[in-house]
Coordinates of all heavy atoms in Angstrom, one line a residue:
M262 N 61.4 -32.5 103.9 CA 61.1 -33.9 103.7 C 62.1 -34.8 104.3 O 61.7 -35.9 104.9 CB 60.8 -34.1 102.2 CG 60.4 -35.5 102.0 SD 59.1 -35.6 100.8 CE 59.0 -37.1 100.4
G263 N 63.4 -34.4 104.2 CA 64.3 -35.3 104.7 C 64.2 -35.4 106.3 O 64.5 -36.4 106.9
D264 N 63.7 -34.3 106.9 CA 63.7 -34.3 108.4 C 62.5 -35.2 108.8 O 62.6 -36.0 109.8 CB 63.2 -32.9 108.9 CG 64.3 -32.0 108.7 OD1 65.5 -32.2 108.6 OD2 64.1 -30.7 108.5
R265 N 61.4 -35.4 108.0 CA 60.4 -36.4 108.4 C 60.9 -37.8 108.3 O 60.5 -38.6 109.3 CB 59.2 -36.2 107.5 CG 58.4 -35.1 107.7 CD 57.1 -35.2 106.8 NE 56.4 -33.8 106.8 CZ 55.5 -33.6 106.1 NH1 55.1 -34.5 105.2 NH2 54.8 -32.5 106.2
A266 N 61.7 -38.0 107.4 CA 62.4 -39.5 107.3 C 63.1 -39.9 108.6 O 63.1 -40.9 109.1 CB 63.0 -39.6 106.0
E267 N 63.8 -38.8 109.1 CA 64.6 -38.9 110.2 C 63.7 -38.9 111.5 O 64.1 -39.5 112.5 CB 65.6 -37.8 110.4 CG 66.8 -38.0 109.3 CD 67.7 -36.8 109.3 OE1 67.7 -36.1 110.2 OE2 68.5 -36.8 108.4
E268 N 62.6 -38.1 111.5 CA 61.7 -38.1 112.7 C 61.0 -39.5 112.9 O 60.8 -40.0 114.0 CB 60.7 -37.0 112.6 CG 61.4 -35.6 112.6 CD 60.4 -34.5 112.5 OE1 59.2 -34.8 112.5 OE2 60.7 -33.5 112.3
F269 N 60.5 -40.1 111.8 CA 59.8 -41.2 112.0 C 60.4 -42.4 112.8 O 59.7 -42.8 113.7 CB 59.3 -41.8 110.5 CG 58.5 -43.0 110.7 CD1 57.1 -42.9 111.1 CD2 58.9 -44.3 110.4 CE1 56.3 -44.0 111.2 CE2 58.2 -45.5 110.6 CZ 56.9 -45.2 111.0
P270 N 61.7 -42.7 112.6 CA 62.2 -43.8 113.3 C 62.3 -43.5 114.8 O 62.2 -44.2 115.7 CB 63.5 -44.1 112.8 CG 63.5 -43.5 111.3 CD 62.5 -42.5 111.4
A271 N 62.5 -42.0 115.2 CA 62.6 -41.7 116.5 C 61.3 -41.9 117.2 O 61.2 -42.2 118.3 CB 63.2 -40.3 116.4
R272 N 60.3 -41.5 116.4 CA 58.9 -41.6 117.2 C 58.5 -43.1 117.2 O 57.8 -43.4 118.1 CB 57.8 -40.9 116.3 CG 58.0 -39.4 116.5 CD 56.8 -38.7 115.7 NE 57.2 -38.7 114.3 CZ 56.4 -38.8 113.3 NH1 55.1 -39.0 113.5 NH2 56.7 -38.8 112.0
A273 N 58.9 -43.9 116.3 CA 58.5 -45.3 116.3 C 59.4 -46.1 117.3 O 59.2 -47.4 117.4 CB 58.7 -45.9 115.0
G274 N 60.3 -45.6 118.0 CA 61.1 -46.3 119.0 C 62.6 -46.7 118.5 O 63.1 -47.6 119.0
G275 N 63.0 -45.9 117.5 CA 64.3 -46.2 117.0 C 64.4 -46.7 115.6 O 63.4 -47.0 115.1
P276 N 65.6 -46.7 115.1 CA 65.6 -47.3 113.7 C 65.3 -48.8 113.6 O 65.6 -49.5 114.5 CB 67.0 -47.1 113.4 CG 67.8 -47.1 114.6 CD 66.8 -46.5 115.6
R277 N 64.5 -49.1 112.6 CA 64.1 -50.4 112.3 C 65.2 -51.3 111.7 O 65.9 -50.7 110.8 CB 62.9 -50.5 111.5 CG 61.7 -49.8 112.2 CD 60.5 -50.1 111.4 NE 59.3 -49.4 111.9 CZ 58.4 -50.1 112.8 NH1 58.5 -51.3 113.0 NH2 57.4 -49.4 113.2
T278 N 65.4 -52.5 112.2 CA 66.3 -53.3 111.6 C 65.7 -54.0 110.5 O 64.6 -54.6 110.5 CB 66.9 -54.4 112.6 OG1 65.8 -55.0 113.2 CG2 67.7 -53.6 113.7
P279 N 66.4 -54.2 109.3 CA 65.7 -54.9 108.3 C 65.7 -56.4 108.5 O 66.6 -56.9 109.2 CB 66.7 -54.7 107.1 CG 68.0 -54.2 107.8 CD 67.7 -53.7 109.1
R280 N 64.5 -57.0 108.2 CA 64.3 -58.5 108.6 C 64.3 -59.2 107.1 O 63.7 -58.7 106.3 CB 63.0 -58.6 109.3 CG 63.0 -58.1 110.6 CD 61.8 -58.2 111.3 NE 60.7 -59.0 110.8 CZ 59.6 -59.4 111.5 NH1 59.5 -59.0 112.8 NH2 58.7 -60.2 111.0
G281 N 64.9 -60.3 107.3 CA 64.8 -61.1 106.0 C 63.5 -61.7 105.7 O 62.5 -61.7 106.6
P282 N 63.3 -62.3 104.5 CA 62.1 -62.9 104.3 C 61.7 -64.1 105.1 O 60.6 -64.5 105.3 CB 62.2 -63.4 102.9 CG 63.7 -63.5 102.6 CD 64.2 -62.5 103.5
W283 N 62.7 -64.8 105.7 CA 62.4 -65.8 106.6 C 61.8 -65.5 107.9 O 61.3 -66.3 108.7 CB 63.7 -66.6 106.8 CG 64.1 -67.3 105.5 CD1 65.3 -66.9 104.8 CD2 63.6 -68.4 104.8 NE1 65.4 -67.7 103.7 CE2 64.4 -68.5 103.7 CE3 62.5 -69.1 105.0 CZ2 64.1 -69.6 102.8 CZ3 62.1 -70.1 104.1 CH2 62.9 -70.4 103.0
A284 N 62.0 -64.3 108.4 CA 61.5 -63.8 109.6 C 60.0 -63.9 109.8 O 59.5 -64.2 110.8 CB 62.0 -62.4 109.9
A285 N 59.3 -63.7 108.7 CA 57.9 -63.7 108.6 C 57.4 -65.2 108.6 O 56.3 -65.5 108.9 CB 57.3 -62.9 107.4
V286 N 58.2 -66.0 107.9 CA 57.8 -67.4 107.8 C 58.1 -68.4 109.0 O 57.6 -69.3 109.2 CB 58.5 -68.0 106.6 CG1 58.1 -69.3 106.4 CG2 58.0 -67.1 105.4
A287 N 59.0 -67.9 109.8 CA 59.5 -68.7 110.8 C 58.5 -69.1 111.8 O 58.5 -70.4 112.3 CB 60.7 -68.0 111.6
P288 N 57.7 -68.3 112.4 CA 56.6 -68.7 113.3 C 55.7 -69.9 112.7 O 55.4 -70.8 113.5 CB 55.8 -67.4 113.8 CG 56.8 -66.3 113.4 CD 57.5 -66.8 112.2
L289 N 55.3 -69.7 111.4 CA 54.4 -70.6 110.9 C 55.1 -71.8 110.7 O 54.5 -73.0 111.0 CB 53.8 -70.1 109.5 CG 53.1 -71.1 108.7 CD1 51.8 -71.6 109.5 CD2 52.7 -70.6 107.4
A290 N 56.4 -71.9 110.3 CA 57.2 -73.1 110.2 C 57.4 -73.8 111.4 O 57.2 -75.1 111.5 CB 58.5 -72.9 109.6
L291 N 57.7 -73.1 112.4 CA 57.9 -73.7 113.8 C 56.6 -74.3 114.3 O 56.5 -75.4 114.8 CB 58.4 -72.7 114.8 CG 58.7 -73.2 116.2 CD1 59.8 -74.2 116.2 CD2 59.2 -72.1 117.1
F292 N 55.5 -73.5 114.3 CA 54.2 -74.1 114.6 C 53.8 -75.3 113.9 O 53.3 -76.2 114.4 CB 53.2 -73.0 114.3 CG 51.7 -73.4 114.8 CD1 51.3 -73.4 116.1 CD2 50.9 -73.8 113.9 CE1 50.1 -73.8 116.5 CE2 49.5 -74.2 114.1 CZ 49.1 -74.2 115.5
S293 N 54.0 -75.2 112.6 CA 53.6 -76.5 111.7 C 54.5 -77.7 112.1 O 54.0 -78.8 112.1 CB 53.9 -76.1 110.2 OG 53.0 -75.1 109.8
L294 N 55.8 -77.4 112.4 CA 56.6 -78.6 112.7 C 56.2 -79.2 113.9 O 56.1 -80.4 114.1 CB 58.0 -78.1 112.7 CG 59.1 -79.2 113.1 CD1 59.1 -80.4 112.0 CD2 60.4 -78.5 113.5
T295 N 55.9 -78.3 114.9 CA 55.5 -78.8 116.3 C 54.2 -79.5 116.2 O 54.1 -80.7 117.0 CB 55.5 -77.6 117.3 OG1 56.8 -76.9 117.3 CG2 55.3 -78.0 118.6
T296 N 53.2 -78.9 115.6 CA 51.9 -79.6 115.6 C 51.9 -80.8 114.8 O 51.2 -81.7 115.0 CB 50.8 -78.6 115.3 OG1 51.2 -78.1 113.9 CG2 50.6 -77.5 116.1
G297 N 52.8 -81.0 113.8 CA 52.9 -82.1 112.9 C 53.4 -83.2 113.7 O 52.9 -84.4 113.8
V298 N 54.5 -82.9 114.5 CA 55.1 -84.0 115.4 C 54.0 -84.4 116.5 O 53.9 -85.7 116.7 CB 56.3 -83.5 116.0 CG1 56.7 -84.5 117.1 CG2 57.4 -83.4 114.9
F299 N 53.3 -83.5 117.0 CA 52.4 -83.7 118.0 C 51.2 -84.5 117.4 O 50.7 -85.5 118.0 CB 51.7 -82.5 118.6 CG 50.6 -82.6 119.5 CD1 50.6 -83.2 120.7 CD2 49.3 -82.4 118.9 CE1 49.5 -83.5 121.4 CE2 48.2 -82.6 119.8 CZ 48.3 -83.1 121.1
A300 N 50.8 -84.3 116.1 CA 49.7 -85.1 115.6 C 50.1 -86.5 115.3 O 49.2 -87.5 115.6 CB 49.3 -84.3 114.3
V301 N 51.2 -86.7 114.8 CA 51.8 -88.1 114.7 C 51.8 -88.9 116.0 O 51.5 -90.0 115.9 CB 53.0 -88.0 113.8 CG1 53.6 -89.4 113.7 CG2 52.9 -87.5 112.4
V302 N 52.4 -88.1 116.9 CA 52.5 -88.9 118.2 C 51.1 -89.1 118.8 O 50.9 -90.3 119.3 CB 53.3 -88.0 119.1 CG1 53.3 -88.5 120.6 CG2 54.7 -88.0 118.7
A303 N 50.2 -88.3 118.7 CA 48.9 -88.5 119.2 C 48.2 -89.6 118.5 O 47.6 -90.5 119.0 CB 48.0 -87.2 119.1
G304 N 48.5 -89.7 117.2 CA 47.9 -90.7 116.4 C 48.5 -92.1 116.7 O 47.8 -93.1 116.9
A305 N 49.9 -92.1 117.0 CA 50.4 -93.4 117.3 C 49.9 -93.9 118.7 O 49.7 -95.1 118.9 CB 51.9 -93.1 117.3
L306 N 49.8 -92.9 119.7 CA 49.3 -93.3 120.9 C 47.9 -93.8 120.9 O 47.6 -94.9 121.6 CB 49.5 -92.2 121.9 CG 51.0 -91.8 122.4 CD1 50.9 -90.6 123.2 CD2 51.6 -92.9 123.0
A307 N 47.0 -93.2 120.1 CA 45.7 -93.6 120.0 C 45.6 -95.0 119.3 O 44.8 -95.9 119.6 CB 44.9 -92.6 119.2
A308 N 46.5 -95.3 118.4 CA 46.6 -96.5 117.6 C 46.9 -97.7 118.6 O 46.6 -98.8 118.3 CB 47.4 -96.5 116.3
L309 N 47.8 -97.4 119.4 CA 48.2 -98.4 120.4 C 47.0 -99.0 121.1 O 47.1 -100.2 121.8 CB 49.2 -97.9 121.4 CG 50.6 -97.7 120.8 CD1 51.6 -97.1 121.8 CD2 51.2 -98.9 120.2
L310 N 45.9 -98.2 121.3 CA 44.7 -98.7 122.1 C 43.8 -99.5 121.2 O 42.8 -100.1 121.8 CB 44.0 -97.5 122.6 CG 44.6 -96.5 123.5 CD1 43.9 -95.3 123.9 CD2 45.1 -97.2 124.9
V311 N 44.1 -99.7 120.0 CA 43.1 -100.4 119.1 C 43.8 -101.7 118.7 O 44.9 -101.7 118.2 CB 42.9 -99.7 117.8 CG1 41.9 -100.4 117.0 CG2 42.2 -98.2 118.2
P312 N 43.1 -102.9 118.9 CA 43.7 -104.2 118.4 C 43.6 -104.4 116.8 O 42.5 -103.8 116.3 CB 42.8 -105.2 119.2 CG 41.6 -104.5 119.3 CD 41.9 -103.1 119.5
G313 N 44.3 -105.1 116.3 CA 44.3 -105.3 114.8 C 45.1 -104.2 114.0 O 45.0 -103.1 114.3
S314 N 45.8 -104.8 113.0 CA 46.6 -103.9 112.2 C 45.9 -102.9 111.3 O 46.3 -101.8 111.1 CB 47.6 -104.8 111.4 OG 47.0 -105.5 110.5
T315 N 44.8 -103.4 110.7 CA 44.0 -102.5 109.8 C 43.3 -101.4 110.5 O 43.5 -100.2 110.2 CB 43.1 -103.3 108.9 OG1 43.7 -104.4 108.3 CG2 42.3 -102.4 108.0
A316 N 42.6 -101.8 111.7 CA 41.9 -100.8 112.5 C 43.1 -99.9 113.1 O 42.8 -98.6 113.2 CB 41.2 -101.5 113.5
R317 N 44.2 -100.4 113.5 CA 45.2 -99.5 114.0 C 45.7 -98.6 113.1 O 45.9 -97.3 113.5 CB 46.4 -100.4 114.5 CG 47.4 -99.6 115.1 CD 48.5 -100.6 115.8 NE 47.7 -101.2 116.9 CZ 48.3 -102.3 117.5 NH1 49.5 -102.9 117.2 NH2 47.8 -102.8 118.7
A318 N 45.9 -99.0 111.9 CA 46.4 -98.0 110.8 C 45.4 -97.0 110.6 O 45.6 -95.7 110.4 CB 46.7 -98.8 109.6
L319 N 44.0 -97.3 110.5 CA 43.0 -96.4 110.2 C 42.9 -95.3 111.4 O 42.7 -94.1 111.2 CB 41.6 -97.1 110.0 CG 40.5 -96.2 109.8 CD1 40.7 -95.5 108.5 CD2 39.2 -97.1 109.7
V320 N 42.9 -95.8 112.7 CA 42.9 -94.9 113.7 C 43.9 -93.9 113.8 O 43.9 -92.7 113.9 CB 42.9 -95.7 115.2 CG1 43.1 -94.8 116.4 CG2 41.4 -96.3 115.3
W321 N 45.1 -94.4 113.4 CA 46.5 -93.5 113.5 C 46.2 -92.5 112.3 O 46.5 -91.3 112.6 CB 47.6 -94.4 113.0 CG 48.9 -93.7 113.2 CD1 49.1 -92.3 113.1 CD2 50.2 -94.2 113.4 NE1 50.4 -92.0 113.3 CE2 51.1 -93.2 113.4 CE3 50.6 -95.5 113.6 CZ2 52.5 -93.4 113.7 CZ3 52.0 -95.7 113.8 CH2 52.9 -94.7 113.8
L322 N 45.8 -92.9 111.2 CA 45.4 -91.9 110.2 C 44.5 -90.9 110.5 O 44.6 -89.6 110.4 CB 45.1 -92.7 108.9 CG 44.7 -91.8 107.6 CD1 46.0 -91.2 107.1 CD2 44.0 -92.6 106.6
V323 N 43.3 -91.3 111.1 CA 42.2 -90.4 111.4 C 42.7 -89.5 112.4 O 42.4 -88.2 112.4 CB 40.9 -91.1 111.9 CG1 39.9 -90.2 112.4 CG2 40.3 -91.8 110.5
V324 N 43.2 -90.0 113.5 CA 43.7 -88.9 114.7 C 44.7 -88.0 114.2 O 44.7 -86.9 114.6 CB 44.1 -89.9 115.9 CG1 44.8 -88.9 116.9 CG2 43.0 -90.6 116.5
T325 N 45.7 -88.5 113.3 CA 46.7 -87.5 112.8 C 46.1 -86.5 112.0 O 46.4 -85.3 112.1 CB 47.7 -88.3 112.1 OG1 48.3 -89.4 112.9 CG2 48.9 -87.5 111.5
I326 N 45.2 -86.8 111.1 CA 44.5 -85.8 110.2 C 43.7 -84.8 111.1 O 43.7 -83.7 110.8 CB 43.7 -86.5 109.1 CG1 44.6 -87.2 108.2 CG2 42.7 -85.6 108.6 CD1 43.9 -88.1 107.0
V327 N 42.9 -85.3 112.1 CA 42.1 -84.5 112.8 C 43.0 -83.5 113.7 O 42.6 -82.3 113.8 CB 41.3 -85.3 113.8 CG1 40.6 -84.5 114.9 CG2 40.1 -86.0 112.9
A328 N 44.0 -84.1 114.3 CA 44.9 -83.1 115.1 C 45.5 -82.0 114.1 O 45.7 -80.9 114.5 CB 46.0 -83.9 115.8
A329 N 46.1 -82.5 112.9 CA 46.7 -81.4 112.1 C 45.7 -80.5 111.5 O 46.1 -79.4 111.4 CB 47.4 -82.3 111.0
V330 N 44.5 -80.9 111.1 CA 43.5 -80.0 110.5 C 43.1 -79.0 111.7 O 42.9 -77.8 111.4 CB 42.3 -80.8 110.0 CG1 41.2 -79.9 109.7 CG2 42.7 -81.5 108.8
S331 N 42.9 -79.5 112.9 CA 42.5 -78.6 113.9 C 43.5 -77.6 114.2 O 43.3 -76.4 114.5 CB 42.1 -79.3 115.1 OG 43.1 -80.1 115.7
A332 N 44.7 -77.9 114.2 CA 45.9 -77.0 114.4 C 45.9 -76.0 113.2 O 46.1 -74.8 113.4 CB 47.2 -77.7 114.5
G333 N 45.8 -76.4 112.0 CA 45.7 -75.6 110.8 C 44.6 -74.6 111.0 O 44.7 -73.4 110.6
L334 N 43.4 -75.1 111.4 CA 42.2 -74.2 111.4 C 42.5 -73.1 112.6 O 42.1 -71.9 112.5 CB 40.9 -75.0 111.8 CG 40.4 -75.7 110.6 CD1 39.2 -76.6 111.1 CD2 39.9 -74.8 109.4
W335 N 43.1 -73.6 113.7 CA 43.4 -72.6 114.8 C 44.3 -71.5 114.2 O 44.1 -70.3 114.3 CB 44.0 -73.3 116.0 CG 44.4 -72.3 117.0 CD1 43.6 -71.9 118.0 CD2 45.7 -71.8 117.3 NE1 44.3 -70.9 118.7 CE2 45.5 -70.9 118.4 CE3 47.0 -71.8 116.5 CZ2 46.6 -70.1 118.8 CZ3 48.1 -71.2 117.2 CH2 47.8 -70.2 118.3
W336 N 45.4 -71.9 113.5 CA 46.3 -71.0 112.9 C 45.6 -70.0 111.8 O 45.8 -68.8 111.9 CB 47.5 -71.7 112.2 CG 48.5 -70.7 111.8 CD1 48.6 -70.0 110.5 CD2 49.6 -70.1 112.4 NE1 49.5 -69.2 110.4 CE2 50.2 -69.2 111.5 CE3 50.2 -70.4 113.7 CZ2 51.4 -68.6 112.0 CZ3 51.2 -69.7 114.1 CH2 52.0 -68.9 113.3
G337 N 44.8 -70.5 111.1 CA 44.2 -69.8 109.9 C 43.0 -68.9 110.6 O 42.8 -67.8 110.0
L338 N 42.3 -69.3 111.5 CA 41.1 -68.5 111.9 C 41.4 -67.6 113.1 O 40.5 -66.8 113.5 CB 39.9 -69.5 112.3 CG 39.5 -70.3 111.2 CD1 38.4 -71.3 111.5 CD2 38.9 -69.5 109.9
T339 N 42.4 -67.8 113.9 CA 42.7 -67.0 115.0 C 43.4 -65.7 114.6 O 44.3 -65.7 113.8 CB 43.6 -67.8 116.0 OG1 43.0 -69.0 116.4 CG2 43.8 -67.0 117.2
P340 N 42.9 -64.5 115.2 CA 43.7 -63.2 114.8 C 45.1 -63.3 115.2 O 45.5 -64.0 116.2 CB 43.0 -62.2 115.6 CG 41.6 -62.9 116.0 CD 41.7 -64.2 116.0
V341 N 45.9 -62.6 114.4 CA 47.4 -62.7 114.6 C 47.8 -62.3 116.0 O 48.6 -62.8 116.7 CB 48.1 -61.8 113.6 CG1 49.6 -61.6 113.8 CG2 47.9 -62.2 112.3
T342 N 47.2 -61.3 116.6 CA 47.6 -60.8 117.9 C 47.2 -61.8 118.9 O 48.1 -62.0 119.9 CB 46.9 -59.4 118.2 OG1 45.3 -59.7 118.1 CG2 47.2 -58.3 117.3
E343 N 46.2 -62.5 118.8 CA 45.9 -63.6 119.8 C 46.9 -64.8 119.8 O 47.2 -65.4 120.7 CB 44.4 -64.1 119.8 CG 44.0 -65.0 120.7 CD 44.0 -64.6 122.2 OE1 44.0 -63.4 122.4 OE2 44.4 -65.4 123.0
R344 N 47.2 -65.2 118.5 CA 48.1 -66.2 118.2 C 49.5 -65.8 118.9 O 50.1 -66.7 119.5 CB 48.2 -66.4 116.8 CG 47.4 -67.1 116.1 CD 47.9 -67.7 114.7 NE 48.5 -66.7 113.9 CZ 48.1 -66.2 112.7 NH1 47.0 -66.7 112.1 NH2 48.8 -65.3 112.1
L345 N 50.0 -64.6 118.7 CA 51.2 -64.2 119.3 C 51.2 -64.2 120.8 O 52.2 -64.7 121.4 CB 51.5 -62.8 118.8 CG 51.8 -62.7 117.2 CD1 52.1 -61.3 116.9 CD2 53.0 -63.6 116.9
R346 N 50.1 -63.9 121.4 CA 49.8 -63.9 122.8 C 49.9 -65.4 123.3 O 50.7 -65.6 124.3 CB 48.7 -63.4 123.2 CG 48.7 -61.8 123.5 CD 47.4 -61.4 124.2 NE 47.0 -60.1 123.6 CZ 46.0 -59.9 122.9 NH1 45.0 -60.8 122.9 NH2 45.7 -58.8 122.2
V347 N 49.3 -66.3 122.6 CA 49.4 -67.7 123.0 C 50.7 -68.2 122.9 O 51.1 -69.0 123.7 CB 48.3 -68.4 122.2 CG1 48.4 -70.0 122.4 CG2 46.9 -68.0 122.6
L348 N 51.3 -68.0 121.7 CA 52.6 -68.5 121.6 C 53.6 -67.9 122.4 O 54.6 -68.7 123.0 CB 53.0 -68.4 120.0 CG 52.1 -69.1 119.0 CD1 52.6 -68.8 117.7 CD2 52.3 -70.6 119.3
D349 N 53.5 -66.6 122.8 CA 54.5 -66.0 123.6 C 54.3 -66.6 125.0 O 55.4 -66.9 125.7 CB 54.2 -64.5 123.7 CG 55.3 -63.8 124.4 OD1 56.5 -64.2 124.3 OD2 55.1 -62.9 125.3
R350 N 53.2 -66.9 125.5 CA 52.9 -67.5 126.9 C 53.6 -69.0 126.9 O 54.1 -69.3 127.9 CB 51.5 -67.6 127.1 CG 50.9 -66.3 127.7 CD 49.5 -66.5 128.1 NE 48.6 -67.1 127.2 CZ 47.5 -66.5 126.8 NH1 47.0 -65.4 127.4 NH2 46.8 -67.0 125.7
A351 N 53.4 -69.7 125.8 CA 54.0 -71.1 125.7 C 55.6 -71.0 125.7 O 56.2 -71.8 126.5 CB 53.5 -71.7 124.5
V352 N 56.1 -70.1 125.0 CA 57.6 -69.9 125.0 C 58.1 -69.4 126.4 O 59.1 -69.9 126.8 CB 58.0 -68.9 123.9 CG1 59.5 -68.6 124.0 CG2 57.7 -69.5 122.6
A353 N 57.3 -68.5 127.0 CA 57.7 -68.0 128.3 C 57.8 -69.2 129.3 O 58.6 -69.1 130.2 CB 56.7 -66.9 128.8
R354 N 56.9 -70.1 129.2 CA 57.1 -71.3 130.1 C 58.3 -72.1 129.9 O 58.8 -72.8 130.9 CB 55.8 -72.2 130.0 CG 54.6 -71.6 130.5 CD 53.4 -72.5 130.3 NE 52.2 -71.8 130.6 CZ 51.1 -72.1 129.9 NH1 51.1 -73.0 128.9 NH2 49.9 -71.3 130.2
L355 N 58.8 -72.1 128.7 CA 60.0 -72.9 128.5 C 61.3 -72.2 128.8 O 62.2 -72.9 128.9 CB 59.9 -73.3 126.9 CG 58.8 -74.2 126.4 CD1 58.8 -74.3 124.9 CD2 58.8 -75.4 127.1
R356 N 61.4 -70.9 128.9 CA 62.5 -70.1 129.2 C 62.9 -70.6 130.6 O 62.2 -70.7 131.5 CB 62.3 -68.7 129.1 CG 62.2 -68.2 127.7 CD 62.1 -66.7 127.7 NE 61.5 -66.2 126.6 CZ 60.6 -65.4 126.4 NH1 60.1 -64.7 127.4 NH2 60.1 -65.2 125.2
P357 N 64.3 -70.6 131.0 CA 64.7 -70.7 132.2 C 64.4 -69.5 133.1 O 64.1 -68.3 132.5 CB 66.3 -70.7 132.1 CG 66.5 -70.9 130.7 CD 65.4 -70.5 129.8
R358 N 64.2 -69.7 134.3 CA 63.7 -68.6 135.2 C 64.5 -67.3 135.1 O 64.2 -66.3 135.2 CB 63.6 -69.0 136.6 CG 62.5 -70.0 136.7 CD 61.7 -69.8 138.0 NE 60.7 -70.9 138.2 CZ 59.4 -70.9 138.0 NH1 59.0 -69.5 137.9 NH2 58.6 -71.7 138.2
G359 N 66.0 -67.5 135.1 CA 66.9 -66.4 135.1 C 66.9 -65.5 133.9 O 67.3 -64.4 133.9
A360 N 66.3 -66.2 132.7 CA 66.4 -65.4 131.5 C 65.3 -64.5 131.3 O 65.3 -63.6 130.5 CB 66.3 -66.4 130.3
R361 N 64.2 -64.5 132.2 CA 63.1 -63.7 132.1 C 63.4 -62.2 132.5 O 62.9 -61.2 131.9 CB 61.9 -64.1 132.9 CG 61.3 -65.2 132.4 CD 60.2 -65.7 133.2 NE 59.5 -66.8 132.7 CZ 58.8 -67.8 133.3 NH1 58.6 -67.5 134.6 NH2 58.3 -68.8 132.7
G362 N 64.3 -62.0 133.3 CA 64.7 -60.7 133.9 C 65.6 -59.9 133.0 O 65.9 -58.8 133.3
R363 N 66.1 -60.5 132.0 CA 67.3 -59.9 131.3 C 66.7 -59.1 130.2 O 65.8 -59.1 129.6 CB 68.1 -61.0 130.6 CG 69.0 -61.7 131.7 CD 69.8 -62.8 131.0 NE 70.4 -63.7 132.0 CZ 71.0 -64.6 131.8 NH1 71.4 -65.1 130.6 NH2 71.5 -65.4 132.7

């Protein structure tokens, strides 16, 4: 039985490193922070197009809520593998060109 425990990491690509509880939460936290900031900025930009303070506040609120809800629905309804592919493509665009080959 002890041999099987040693064989499994070798078949799986080596020993697994233990991950803390924050490793599973980090992608969701980063996504939520980014889309939250995007939602507020989109709401503010939309509000600039509307005259009047009451209407401006209402437009800001509605656009912010719609952007945040749509991002939350995307996160909740998209399969994990597709989410990871999309997020990996976005991160790959942000990396410097020399870091890709390493």
Side-chain angles (χ1 to χ4, degrees):
M262 181 136 169
D264 293 335
R265 283 189 191 168
E267 291 173 6
E268 288 176 14
F269 179 72
R272 283 184 283 145
R277 295 189 183 258
T278 57
R280 294 176 12 166
W283 295 108
V286 178
L289 177 60
L291 181 63
F292 178 77
S293 297
L294 178 69
T295 305
T296 55
V298 169
F299 171 75
V301 170
V302 169
L306 291 175
L309 289 175
L310 301 174
V311 177
S314 62
T315 306
R317 184 172 288 170
L319 183 63
V320 166
W321 189 334
L322 180 69
V323 169
V324 171
T325 301
I326 289 173
V327 167
V330 166
S331 60
L334 285 174
W335 179 81
W336 183 272
L338 298 176
T339 306
V341 175
T342 54
E343 184 61 27
R344 274 196 319 243
L345 293 176
R346 270 190 225 119
V347 170
L348 295 175
D349 189 43
R350 281 189 297 235
V352 170
R354 289 182 193 144
L355 298 175
R356 286 188 201 130
R358 295 219 183 247
R361 288 185 182 154
R363 292 180 189 173

